[in-house]
Amino acid sequence: MRKALFLAVILCFFVTATSVFALTKINIPKDLSAVSKECIDCHKETNVNIYQQWGYSKHFRANVGCFECHEAQKGDADAFEHEGNIISIIVSPKDCARCHEKETDEFINSHHSKAGRIMGSLDNILAEVVEGNKGMKTEGFPDGISAAAVNGCWQCHGSVVKINKDGSLDPATWPNTGMGRVNPDGTEGSCTACHQRHEFSVAQARQPENCGKCHMGPDHPQIEIFKESKHGINYYANKDRMNLESNKWVVGEDYFAAPTCATCHMSATVDMPVTHNVGLRIKWNNRPPLIKLAHETDKKWGLESAKITGDMRKDNMVKVCVACHNENFVEAFYIQYEAQLHLYNDKWAKPGSKLYKKATAVLKAVKGKEYAKFSQKIDYTWFELWHHEGRRVRHAASMQAPDYVQWHGNYDLAKNWYGEYVPEIKEVIEMGKHSGNPKANELAVDLEEMLTTIMNDENHRWSIGKEDPKARADRDKRQKEFLEKYK
Amino acid sequence: MRKALFLAVILCFFVTATSVFALTKINIPKDLSAVSKECIDCHKETNVNIYQQWGYSKHFRANVGCFECHEAQKGDADAFEHEGNIISIIVSPKDCARCHEKETDEFINSHHSKAGRIMGSLDNILAEVVEGNKGMKTEGFPDGISAAAVNGCWQCHGSVVKINKDGSLDPATWPNTGMGRVNPDGTEGSCTACHQRHEFSVAQARQPENCGKCHMGPDHPQIEIFKESKHGINYYANKDRMNLESNKWVVGEDYFAAPTCATCHMSATVDMPVTHNVGLRIKWNNRPPLIKLAHETDKKWGLESAKITGDMRKDNMVKVCVACHNENFVEAFYIQYEAQLHLYNDKWAKPGSKLYKKATAVLKAVKGKEYAKFSQKIDYTWFELWHHEGRRVRHAASMQAPDYVQWHGNYDLAKNWYGEYVPEIKEVIEMGKHSGNPKANELAVDLEEMLTTIMNDENHRWSIGKEDPKARADRDKRQKEFLEKYK
Amino acid sequence: MRKALFLAVILCFFVTATSVFALTKINIPKDLSAVSKECIDCHKETNVNIYQQWGYSKHFRANVGCFECHEAQKGDADAFEHEGNIISIIVSPKDCARCHEKETDEFINSHHSKAGRIMGSLDNILAEVVEGNKGMKTEGFPDGISAAAVNGCWQCHGSVVKINKDGSLDPATWPNTGMGRVNPDGTEGSCTACHQRHEFSVAQARQPENCGKCHMGPDHPQIEIFKESKHGINYYANKDRMNLESNKWVVGEDYFAAPTCATCHMSATVDMPVTHNVGLRIKWNNRPPLIKLAHETDKKWGLESAKITGDMRKDNMVKVCVACHNENFVEAFYIQYEAQLHLYNDKWAKPGSKLYKKATAVLKAVKGKEYAKFSQKIDYTWFELWHHEGRRVRHAASMQAPDYVQWHGNYDLAKNWYGEYVPEIKEVIEMGKHSGNPKANELAVDLEEMLTTIMNDENHRWSIGKEDPKARADRDKRQKEFLEKYK
């Protein structure tokens, strides 16, 4: 069965290879186009490095010059005439697809290319209102737009690029290389988010720093976690042996010292082809407050990949793992990892979200029209519990970085729950009870009951001196044995 | 005297060299064993990278194959039959010692190999109870174990590996490469914590990232501190010239551009051999709340190295320093460093621990059976004062990273002392006084007196407007002179 | 015009080149001096790496030995006799200038060399009093000095080096390589802050880690920001192609893959020479609470460079940018960046500093002589708002690191403003009103009015439920459209 699959893959490879070859034969020009030569004449003076970077790229050797990518058609939203030619500044996935169809197709159908949709989610309140103001005024935003969105969110998630009347790009929306940029031609996504112009170096795209531009920081510290992990340690110790420039980059054939982000999430193994849909090897979506299987998110987003279930995605990932690890090892890892997901979900996420919803109801009853989310501390406390430490602990366990699991994850969850959240919930209860508002009082009494129930459950009763006596005795016994063993 | 010592070392070196040579001659097999060849036949298909990594290792050239390390004896706790041979998954220090006796001996007698003992310390309350629950159930833990311990603490400190009835390893305890892992054969320690399978690359083990897996984060940011320091700057600028692959790796003979963690704490100098006991060049143990000489900890732990005093350890370290620095320079550095230790100890650690003990007594009197450590914010505040910022400032001064000394150390100590801890102590005083509980009231009055005394001492009286007038005048004078000089 | 400028530069180059050549011809000795040979005889035994590092340096090839740099004159404050020669430990900018006049001149006139002046600023209260004590006593500080200043501030900013009676250097002030060190000969600055002894490698000085020793951490995380940015990603992916060892290092001629800190702030472009005054390409000084043009700071400090306005500095920087980017791209970047500066300034810095000033007046009225800055939490909250997150967001926008803009900048500003600062201001108001002190009450009423005004302005009124209805409707509309588009 394994062999059959292998043959199928090989076959597949040849089919693809042949077709690419045929296309290549037809398309690679014998010489650089006259128009591109004209571009270069000027730009190698005014922007020397662009010329040099392009000279280093595979595009150079294939006679793919400036105009071959920047060519536009009259009527394109962002087309303009420049020195007698119609061009556009933005090279969108549609442009790249003229040569790189398979890669673009995969990307366009991935969660990655939809990163711009966050602007339509409830998150827009943070950058636009809470953190921002309408002080940045441009032709495209005559009433103003938040510089926090422009310099922050949009630079990873992507802007909706706007065209000014004179054909130039609105400076609130450009420069922008956000993953889910909405381009003037209507396409979603930005290839240069990973494949930096004008070298489009595959080696650069395979390095963890590339992903780290967005996958870092308190809410999704994947690059920090990778660096702490054995995977990262081995990568940085052996970068020179990673064969990162190789066109064929199959783990186990072309390199074996360590994986990068690309290795596990995208690149080829002996029996899986490379894919530009980065979600297809990830079982769990570790972003929402409550734990969630990745395909459930895809379903909600209407992506075709919704049919690839979490378990199927795990199977894909295991195919990568076994390049270096025994299958039992991998299975045991998943048991550890998923136990952490459930610990997070049961102890903090479920009770925490219930409490927050009810506390918000109390606050709304007390404050009426003056209520605003993110204007009181409890909003930030809960937000960070799930969005910051709650993600950190899940990501850290998924990639085996123990310090992130403990000191940036579980510890922070406990500290902020017992040290901040519970006292803040109690304040809301007091506020509701003393508001003189019967509705608020009623909700506060509900909230109090809810809190009491939660604090008395298995997860939290230790904190009010009610640890299960048997569990306590067991723990004390183990501790005593351990200490005696090493006296 | 210096020359005599040098000769002694040289002599020593030859003796060792000869004996190793002799052993080598006898032990290196002429060919790979038949059993190992069998292992490879399968595993190079199913886990291609293990085969490749081993191929890159020194073990390959020495005909040390799979079976030579994984061989087990019937009756070994974790032995099982696999394709006709008795093997075990875990290769313990005992296994490694069959060839690497000296290194294993040093390691086994070091503090490092005892890292697993934390599980028996009071810390087990954090991961098991405060942060965790008993949701992870395995054959080895039928009543459940905390996923926080499994994914966090144990991955650095080591698990106590449990064997299931079918001979497989309990997934709560494996995979695990924690430094102080308690192996099925009873040995403490994990060589692969640093020497990653299956390359066992000495170059990788010598790189700071290797140590950074555990020595990072808010409570012991050694890797971050190293990176900030001049040592780290020079290392990353000159990694290519570090000769990291060299078997002989004597600072000053084989490389000179920069030190790594290994250079200072383990590796050979012109007159000191390499050691796998990493504590023998460290004068101060910078982990406990109060400053402590390293050998005092070793004494408490019953380690033989307790006889090597702090001053002797410093002398060892100075031997490394003088490879690049003048002796006066090194002595002056130690004066600076130790002044920081005493500042921390006198200003925060001593009064802070006294206050915490007394405040806890008040809380216990007030709350009775409902009292639980780590259920109120003050527990976290004090814990972080010594365990987080108090360690950071000590580690940072020890390795000369000024930003960590200031903005992750002294500043955080002051901010959390005056901004959090003192107000929280005052709350406890109020709570005790208004509890209606005479015992609690009495303790609260004691606590108040203690606080008043502390706030009026040399370290803290500035904060209640009582800075020593002479000191204040001197400071103002210096400031004025300084400003005038540069008008 | 461009061509004319180019010719001028070329001319300039030849003039300089010729003069350097002439000097070189005269100055490079044919052989290493006899005195340096003597130094080496001993020190290659006692400090082997210094000898080796020097052997790797350009100084070696130019016969510039130990004595050529360490030579001193009788009567120099730190001169002492050592083996028959008069030398000093510290090699000051004055010493370096004997050969490197141009570089030293630029440095001496830069803001960088004035870093030591912080000791005379109000900041000295933090390290000396708040965080420190007078526990470190040396000959130079008989009444004691703070180890927090010695190990923290001074290691980046520089110490004022003191000489003991026996000619040795006071250990509170040495070792020290702070940028603005005040040397025994009265010069300000330390060349070895960047050019590490004894290799003085230009490649090392050009690497971002070099700057990261001081430009890191919560208050100025430039190295972290660089690492996140596209610039950093490309640098780390292409370090091998950066040609870092080249004497001539012109971006676009000698390397083109990525910029380092040096590239943008110091190094040569096709039409700008290298400079050791690092501020001349920086338009905005992003350190003070309120945004400020860089030349305004220089004016205050009495630096000659005050005549180079912010706009001229921007023009300098643009000359670097266009090596890789189109001018429109660069202009649009500046619009984005400056919009972020104004957002920070208008929403947080201006109202925040006004509130702090008034709240401090209330606290002083209430506490009288017992008032002390940094003894209450609000001091830390406001300090971090401008000094930590307020700098982070400005630095991050200036170097295009979106995660730092958002999650270490704008988000933290909002969280700490609404979650900490405003509640703390309200506490001060209550404290003043209930103090029974008429002056304090009056000031508290003023503060309350000020807060009410601020909370009702465009930036903050959303938080009391008063978001502009039109803006709200627009936002809701955009959100709805967005969501429908992707249903």
Side-chain angles (χ1 to χ4, degrees):
Chain A
M1 155 67 202
R2 200 178 178 90
K3 193 158 264 179
L5 198 141
F6 184 67
L7 279 173
V9 169
I10 289 291
L11 204 64
C12 217
F13 178 74
F14 277 106
V15 171
T16 320
T18 313
S19 95
V20 165
F21 190 71
L23 281 168
T24 302
K25 221 170 159 182
I26 292 163
N27 285 347
I28 287 196
K30 286 190 192 149
D31 201 1
L32 191 60
S33 67
V35 185
S36 287
K37 280 178 186 161
E38 277 176 49
C39 307
I40 288 164
D41 277 349
C42 250
H43 283 283
K44 82 174 170 187
E45 292 293 325
T46 52
N47 314 104
V48 56
N49 281 2
I50 299 184
Y51 171 68
Q52 291 295 86
Q53 288 167 359
W54 167 76
Y56 195 84
S57 76
K58 290 199 179 73
H59 283 170
F60 172 82
R61 194 70 187 78
N63 290 316
V64 176
C66 319
F67 190 65
E68 282 62 47
C69 297
H70 284 282
E71 182 180 8
Q73 307 302 327
K74 234 178 192 156
D76 285 359
D78 57 340
F80 64 100
E81 206 192 287
H82 178 62
E83 305 286 337
N85 295 298
I86 308 291
I87 62 164
S88 66
I89 290 167
I90 291 180
V91 178
S92 84
K94 206 167 151 186
D95 298 316
C96 299
R98 293 192 305 216
C99 293
H100 305 281
E101 194 181 348
K102 176 175 177 290
E103 291 78 8
T104 314
D105 269 1
E106 289 164 352
F107 172 57
I108 283 296
N109 288 297
S110 76
H111 205 93
H112 241 171
S113 70
K114 312 302 171 203
R117 296 191 184 176
I118 197 173
M119 287 177 285
S121 84
L122 273 174
D123 285 302
N124 78 342
I125 196 184
L126 261 184
E128 293 197 22
V129 180
V130 179
E131 305 168 2
N133 64 18
K134 296 185 146 301
M136 184 179 192
K137 288 181 184 168
T138 62
E139 191 181 309
F141 296 95
D143 295 331
I145 185 68
S146 167
V150 170
N151 287 276
C153 318
W154 296 2
Q155 297 297 331
C156 279
H157 286 275
S159 61
V160 182
V161 180
K162 297 200 175 196
I163 317 290
N164 292 329
K165 278 176 202 152
D166 68 357
S168 65
L169 303 176
D170 185 283
T173 66
W174 179 264
N176 188 286
T177 58
M179 184 60 85
R181 191 180 64 205
V182 182
N183 302 300
D185 63 9
T187 53
E188 287 174 307
S190 157
C191 299
T192 197
C194 297
H195 300 284
Q196 286 191 36
R197 58 179 181 265
H198 286 94
E199 282 193 22
F200 312 103
S201 154
V202 74
Q204 178 248 298
R206 285 168 179 161
Q207 297 185 36
E209 284 73 15
N210 188 57
C211 312
K213 185 196 154 195
C214 298
H215 293 275
M216 61 90 74
D219 58 330
H220 37 39
Q222 284 103 337
I223 182 85
E224 293 93 332
I225 286 165
F226 173 77
K227 284 184 178 180
E228 193 202 340
S229 75
K230 287 278 193 191
H231 290 158
I233 294 167
N234 261 337
Y235 168 70
Y236 288 103
N238 297 295
K239 196 178 159 186
D240 293 346
R241 291 164 48 212
M242 289 294 291
N243 208 1
L244 289 158
E245 298 279 358
S246 177
N247 285 314
K248 178 167 83 69
W249 200 59
V250 178
V251 66
E253 290 183 4
D254 301 302
Y255 65 106
F256 54 82
T260 73
C261 313
T263 301
C264 300
H265 294 289
M266 303 182 65
S267 300
T269 66
V270 288
D271 53 12
M272 266 196 311
V274 62
T275 175
H276 276 69
N277 185 333
V278 293
L280 301 187
R281 301 178 189 171
I282 295 177
K283 179 173 174 182
W284 295 95
N285 171 0
N286 283 332
R287 289 191 311 277
L290 299 178
I291 63 174
K292 199 170 192 174
L293 289 163
H295 69 278
E296 289 172 11
T297 305
D298 284 7
K299 198 187 287 178
K300 194 180 142 197
W301 285 47
L303 299 180
E304 235 187 292
S305 49
K307 66 189 178 208
I308 304 175
T309 66
D311 283 333
M312 290 159 75
R313 292 170 198 235
K314 181 189 151 189
D315 287 347
N316 289 339
M317 185 60 90
V318 173
K319 281 181 195 161
V320 187
C321 305
V322 294
C324 296
H325 301 285
N326 180 286
E327 277 190 32
N328 296 328
F329 182 101
V330 177
E331 280 309 313
F333 153 72
Y334 267 98
I335 292 172
Q336 295 186 355
Y337 163 44
E338 298 191 343
Q340 176 63 63
L341 296 189
H342 288 289
L343 165 57
Y344 161 73
N345 210 42
D346 293 344
K347 185 154 185 165
W348 318 111
K350 280 196 226 156
S353 53
K354 269 176 65 179
L355 286 170
Y356 183 67
K357 206 176 152 187
K358 184 68 79 182
T360 299
V362 176
L363 286 167
K364 281 181 175 170
V366 172
K367 297 195 170 183
K369 281 188 179 170
E370 290 197 7
Y371 174 82
K373 193 177 172 173
F374 287 117
S375 72
Q376 47 266 316
K377 187 155 180 264
I378 196 172
D379 299 325
Y380 295 91
T381 306
W382 168 240
F383 182 68
E384 294 193 4
L385 276 166
W386 72 265
H387 188 271
H388 284 34
E389 34 266 27
R391 285 179 171 184
R392 288 198 297 258
V393 81
R394 287 178 278 173
H395 292 137
S398 77
M399 296 198 283
Q400 299 171 289
D403 201 279
Y404 267 86
V405 169
Q406 167 59 10
W407 297 113
H408 297 269
N410 287 314
Y411 173 78
D412 280 345
L413 283 161
K415 173 191 162 192
N416 292 332
W417 178 276
Y418 297 111
E420 308 286 344
Y421 197 50
V422 170
E424 283 161 17
I425 292 285
K426 286 179 181 168
E427 276 175 37
V428 173
I429 292 168
E430 290 312 302
M431 194 189 293
K433 283 174 150 183
H434 297 94
S435 64
N437 170 331
K439 178 71 189 161
N441 180 60
E442 191 187 317
L443 287 161
V445 171
D446 287 358
L447 179 59
E448 192 168 32
E449 265 177 46
M450 189 187 280
L451 181 64
T452 304
T453 308
I454 288 167
M455 296 311 279
N456 278 280
D457 78 12
E458 281 308 316
N459 284 300
H460 300 289
R461 62 182 178 150
W462 72 270
S463 73
I464 49 174
K466 294 183 180 170
E467 186 180 357
D468 171 35
K470 189 184 164 312
R472 174 67 184 260
D474 282 356
R475 195 160 58 81
D476 288 349
K477 188 165 156 265
R478 271 186 300 122
Q479 187 179 318
K480 211 180 144 196
E481 281 169 8
F482 211 98
L483 290 173
E484 290 205 344
K485 201 169 160 187
Y486 297 104
K487 220 182 242 171
Chain B
M1 154 69 202
R2 198 174 179 93
K3 193 156 265 181
L5 197 141
F6 184 67
L7 280 173
V9 171
I10 289 290
L11 203 65
C12 216
F13 178 75
F14 277 106
V15 171
T16 321
T18 314
S19 96
V20 167
F21 191 71
L23 280 168
T24 302
K25 222 170 162 183
I26 292 164
N27 285 348
I28 287 195
K30 287 190 190 147
D31 201 1
L32 191 60
S33 68
V35 185
S36 286
K37 279 179 186 161
E38 277 176 50
C39 307
I40 288 164
D41 277 349
C42 251
H43 282 284
K44 82 174 171 186
E45 291 294 325
T46 53
N47 314 105
V48 56
N49 281 2
I50 299 183
Y51 172 68
Q52 290 295 88
Q53 288 166 359
W54 167 75
Y56 193 84
S57 76
K58 290 199 178 74
H59 282 170
F60 173 81
R61 194 69 187 77
N63 290 316
V64 176
C66 318
F67 190 65
E68 282 63 45
C69 297
H70 285 281
E71 182 180 9
Q73 307 302 324
K74 234 175 194 157
D76 284 359
D78 58 340
F80 64 99
E81 208 193 285
H82 178 63
E83 305 286 336
N85 295 298
I86 309 290
I87 60 163
S88 66
I89 290 166
I90 291 179
V91 178
S92 83
K94 206 168 150 186
D95 299 314
C96 300
R98 293 192 306 215
C99 293
H100 306 281
E101 195 181 348
K102 175 177 177 289
E103 290 77 8
T104 315
D105 268 2
E106 290 164 352
F107 172 56
I108 283 295
N109 287 298
S110 76
H111 205 94
H112 241 171
S113 72
K114 312 303 170 201
R117 296 190 183 176
I118 197 173
M119 288 176 285
S121 83
L122 274 173
D123 286 301
N124 78 341
I125 197 184
L126 261 184
E128 293 196 22
V129 181
V130 179
E131 305 168 3
N133 65 17
K134 297 184 145 300
M136 184 179 194
K137 287 180 186 171
T138 61
E139 191 181 309
F141 296 95
D143 295 333
I145 185 68
S146 167
V150 170
N151 287 276
C153 319
W154 296 3
Q155 297 297 331
C156 278
H157 286 275
S159 62
V160 182
V161 180
K162 296 199 176 198
I163 317 289
N164 292 329
K165 279 175 201 154
D166 69 358
S168 65
L169 303 177
D170 185 283
T173 66
W174 179 264
N176 188 284
T177 58
M179 184 59 85
R181 192 179 65 204
V182 182
N183 302 299
D185 63 8
T187 53
E188 288 175 307
S190 158
C191 300
T192 198
C194 297
H195 300 285
Q196 287 192 37
R197 59 182 181 262
H198 285 94
E199 283 194 22
F200 312 103
S201 153
V202 73
Q204 177 247 299
R206 285 168 178 160
Q207 296 184 35
E209 284 72 16
N210 188 58
C211 312
K213 185 195 154 197
C214 298
H215 293 275
M216 60 91 74
D219 58 331
H220 37 40
Q222 284 102 338
I223 181 85
E224 293 93 333
I225 286 164
F226 174 77
K227 285 185 177 178
E228 191 201 340
S229 75
K230 287 277 192 190
H231 290 159
I233 294 167
N234 261 337
Y235 168 71
Y236 288 103
N238 296 296
K239 197 178 159 186
D240 293 347
R241 291 163 48 212
M242 290 293 292
N243 208 2
L244 289 158
E245 298 280 358
S246 176
N247 285 315
K248 178 168 82 70
W249 199 59
V250 177
V251 63
E253 290 183 3
D254 302 301
Y255 65 105
F256 55 80
T260 72
C261 312
T263 301
C264 300
H265 294 288
M266 304 182 64
S267 300
T269 67
V270 288
D271 53 11
M272 266 196 311
V274 63
T275 175
H276 275 68
N277 185 334
V278 292
L280 300 186
R281 301 178 189 170
I282 295 178
K283 178 172 174 183
W284 295 95
N285 171 359
N286 283 332
R287 290 191 311 277
L290 299 178
I291 63 172
K292 200 171 189 173
L293 289 162
H295 70 279
E296 289 172 11
T297 305
D298 285 7
K299 199 186 288 178
K300 193 180 144 198
W301 286 47
L303 300 180
E304 236 187 291
S305 48
K307 67 189 177 207
I308 304 175
T309 65
D311 283 333
M312 290 159 74
R313 293 171 197 234
K314 180 189 152 189
D315 288 347
N316 289 339
M317 184 61 90
V318 172
K319 281 181 195 160
V320 187
C321 305
V322 294
C324 297
H325 301 285
N326 180 285
E327 278 191 32
N328 296 329
F329 182 101
V330 178
E331 280 309 313
F333 153 72
Y334 267 98
I335 291 171
Q336 294 186 354
Y337 164 44
E338 299 192 343
Q340 176 63 64
L341 296 190
H342 288 290
L343 165 57
Y344 161 73
N345 211 43
D346 293 344
K347 184 154 185 165
W348 318 111
K350 281 195 223 159
S353 53
K354 269 175 64 179
L355 287 169
Y356 183 66
K357 207 175 151 188
K358 184 67 80 182
T360 298
V362 177
L363 287 166
K364 281 182 174 170
V366 173
K367 297 195 170 183
K369 282 187 180 171
E370 290 197 8
Y371 173 82
K373 193 177 173 173
F374 288 118
S375 73
Q376 46 266 316
K377 185 154 181 265
I378 196 172
D379 299 327
Y380 295 92
T381 306
W382 168 242
F383 182 68
E384 294 193 5
L385 276 166
W386 72 265
H387 189 271
H388 284 33
E389 33 267 27
R391 285 178 171 186
R392 288 198 297 257
V393 80
R394 286 178 279 172
H395 293 136
S398 77
M399 296 197 284
Q400 298 170 289
D403 201 279
Y404 267 86
V405 168
Q406 167 59 10
W407 297 114
H408 296 269
N410 287 316
Y411 173 77
D412 281 346
L413 283 160
K415 172 189 163 194
N416 292 332
W417 178 277
Y418 298 110
E420 307 288 341
Y421 197 50
V422 170
E424 284 160 18
I425 293 284
K426 285 179 181 167
E427 276 174 37
V428 173
I429 292 168
E430 290 312 302
M431 193 189 293
K433 283 175 151 182
H434 296 95
S435 64
N437 171 331
K439 177 71 189 161
N441 179 60
E442 192 187 316
L443 287 161
V445 170
D446 287 357
L447 179 59
E448 192 168 31
E449 264 177 47
M450 189 187 279
L451 182 64
T452 303
T453 308
I454 287 167
M455 296 310 279
N456 278 279
D457 78 12
E458 281 308 316
N459 284 300
H460 299 290
R461 62 179 178 152
W462 72 270
S463 72
I464 49 173
K466 294 183 179 170
E467 187 180 355
D468 171 35
K470 188 185 167 311
R472 174 68 184 260
D474 281 356
R475 195 161 56 81
D476 287 348
K477 188 165 158 266
R478 271 186 299 122
Q479 188 180 315
K480 210 179 145 196
E481 281 169 8
F482 211 99
L483 291 174
E484 291 205 342
K485 202 168 161 188
Y486 296 104
K487 222 181 242 171
Chain C
M1 152 70 199
R2 200 177 176 90
K3 193 157 264 180
L5 196 141
F6 184 65
L7 280 174
V9 169
I10 289 290
L11 204 64
C12 218
F13 179 73
F14 276 108
V15 170
T16 320
T18 314
S19 96
V20 166
F21 191 72
L23 281 168
T24 302
K25 220 169 161 183
I26 292 163
N27 286 348
I28 288 194
K30 286 189 191 151
D31 201 0
L32 190 59
S33 67
V35 185
S36 286
K37 279 178 186 162
E38 277 176 52
C39 306
I40 288 164
D41 278 348
C42 252
H43 283 284
K44 82 174 170 188
E45 291 295 322
T46 53
N47 313 104
V48 56
N49 281 2
I50 298 183
Y51 172 68
Q52 290 295 86
Q53 289 167 358
W54 167 76
Y56 194 85
S57 75
K58 291 199 179 74
H59 282 170
F60 173 82
R61 194 69 187 78
N63 290 316
V64 176
C66 319
F67 190 65
E68 281 63 45
C69 297
H70 284 281
E71 183 181 8
Q73 307 302 325
K74 233 175 195 158
D76 285 359
D78 58 341
F80 64 100
E81 206 191 287
H82 178 63
E83 305 285 336
N85 294 298
I86 308 290
I87 61 163
S88 67
I89 290 167
I90 291 180
V91 178
S92 82
K94 204 167 152 187
D95 298 315
C96 299
R98 293 192 306 216
C99 293
H100 306 281
E101 194 181 347
K102 175 175 177 291
E103 291 77 9
T104 315
D105 268 1
E106 289 163 353
F107 172 56
I108 283 296
N109 287 298
S110 76
H111 205 94
H112 241 171
S113 71
K114 312 301 170 202
R117 297 190 183 177
I118 197 173
M119 288 176 285
S121 83
L122 274 173
D123 285 302
N124 78 341
I125 196 184
L126 262 184
E128 293 197 21
V129 180
V130 179
E131 305 168 6
N133 64 18
K134 297 185 146 298
M136 184 179 192
K137 288 181 183 167
T138 61
E139 191 182 310
F141 296 96
D143 295 331
I145 185 69
S146 168
V150 170
N151 287 275
C153 319
W154 296 2
Q155 298 296 331
C156 279
H157 286 275
S159 60
V160 182
V161 180
K162 297 200 174 196
I163 317 290
N164 292 328
K165 278 174 202 155
D166 68 358
S168 64
L169 303 176
D170 185 284
T173 65
W174 179 264
N176 187 284
T177 58
M179 184 60 86
R181 191 179 65 206
V182 182
N183 302 299
D185 63 9
T187 53
E188 287 174 306
S190 157
C191 300
T192 197
C194 297
H195 300 284
Q196 287 191 37
R197 57 180 180 263
H198 286 93
E199 283 194 20
F200 312 102
S201 153
V202 73
Q204 177 248 297
R206 285 169 179 159
Q207 296 184 36
E209 284 72 17
N210 188 58
C211 312
K213 186 195 153 196
C214 298
H215 293 275
M216 60 91 75
D219 58 331
H220 36 40
Q222 284 103 337
I223 181 86
E224 294 92 333
I225 286 165
F226 174 76
K227 285 184 178 179
E228 192 202 339
S229 75
K230 287 278 192 191
H231 290 158
I233 296 168
N234 261 337
Y235 169 71
Y236 288 102
N238 296 296
K239 196 178 159 186
D240 293 346
R241 291 164 47 212
M242 290 293 292
N243 208 1
L244 291 158
E245 298 279 358
S246 177
N247 285 315
K248 178 169 81 72
W249 199 59
V250 177
V251 64
E253 290 183 4
D254 301 301
Y255 65 104
F256 55 81
T260 72
C261 313
T263 301
C264 300
H265 294 289
M266 301 181 67
S267 299
T269 67
V270 287
D271 52 13
M272 264 195 312
V274 63
T275 174
H276 276 69
N277 184 335
V278 293
L280 300 186
R281 301 178 189 170
I282 295 178
K283 177 172 175 184
W284 294 95
N285 171 0
N286 283 331
R287 290 191 311 277
L290 299 177
I291 63 172
K292 199 171 189 172
L293 289 163
H295 69 279
E296 289 172 12
T297 305
D298 284 8
K299 198 186 290 178
K300 193 181 144 197
W301 285 46
L303 298 180
E304 236 187 292
S305 48
K307 66 190 177 205
I308 304 175
T309 65
D311 282 334
M312 289 159 76
R313 293 171 197 234
K314 181 189 152 190
D315 287 346
N316 289 340
M317 185 61 90
V318 173
K319 281 181 195 162
V320 187
C321 305
V322 295
C324 297
H325 302 285
N326 180 287
E327 277 191 33
N328 296 329
F329 183 100
V330 178
E331 279 309 314
F333 153 71
Y334 267 98
I335 291 171
Q336 295 186 356
Y337 163 44
E338 298 191 344
Q340 176 63 62
L341 296 190
H342 288 289
L343 166 56
Y344 160 73
N345 210 44
D346 293 344
K347 184 154 184 164
W348 318 111
K350 281 195 224 158
S353 53
K354 268 175 65 180
L355 287 169
Y356 183 67
K357 207 175 153 190
K358 183 68 79 182
T360 299
V362 177
L363 287 167
K364 282 183 174 170
V366 173
K367 297 195 170 185
K369 280 187 180 172
E370 289 197 7
Y371 173 82
K373 192 176 174 174
F374 288 118
S375 72
Q376 46 265 316
K377 188 155 179 262
I378 196 171
D379 299 325
Y380 295 92
T381 306
W382 167 241
F383 182 68
E384 294 194 5
L385 275 166
W386 72 265
H387 188 271
H388 284 34
E389 33 267 27
R391 285 179 171 185
R392 287 198 297 258
V393 81
R394 287 179 278 173
H395 292 137
S398 77
M399 295 197 283
Q400 298 171 289
D403 202 279
Y404 268 86
V405 168
Q406 167 58 10
W407 297 113
H408 297 270
N410 287 314
Y411 173 78
D412 280 346
L413 283 161
K415 173 190 163 194
N416 291 333
W417 178 275
Y418 297 111
E420 307 288 342
Y421 197 50
V422 170
E424 284 161 17
I425 293 285
K426 285 178 181 168
E427 275 174 39
V428 173
I429 292 168
E430 289 313 301
M431 193 189 291
K433 282 175 151 182
H434 296 94
S435 64
N437 172 330
K439 177 73 190 161
N441 179 60
E442 191 188 318
L443 287 162
V445 171
D446 287 357
L447 179 60
E448 194 169 29
E449 265 178 46
M450 189 187 279
L451 182 64
T452 304
T453 308
I454 287 167
M455 296 310 279
N456 278 279
D457 79 12
E458 281 308 316
N459 285 299
H460 299 289
R461 63 180 177 152
W462 72 270
S463 74
I464 49 174
K466 295 183 180 170
E467 187 180 356
D468 171 35
K470 188 184 166 309
R472 175 66 184 259
D474 281 357
R475 196 159 58 80
D476 287 348
K477 187 163 157 268
R478 272 187 299 124
Q479 188 178 318
K480 212 180 145 194
E481 282 170 6
F482 211 98
L483 291 174
E484 290 204 343
K485 201 169 163 187
Y486 297 104
K487 222 183 242 172

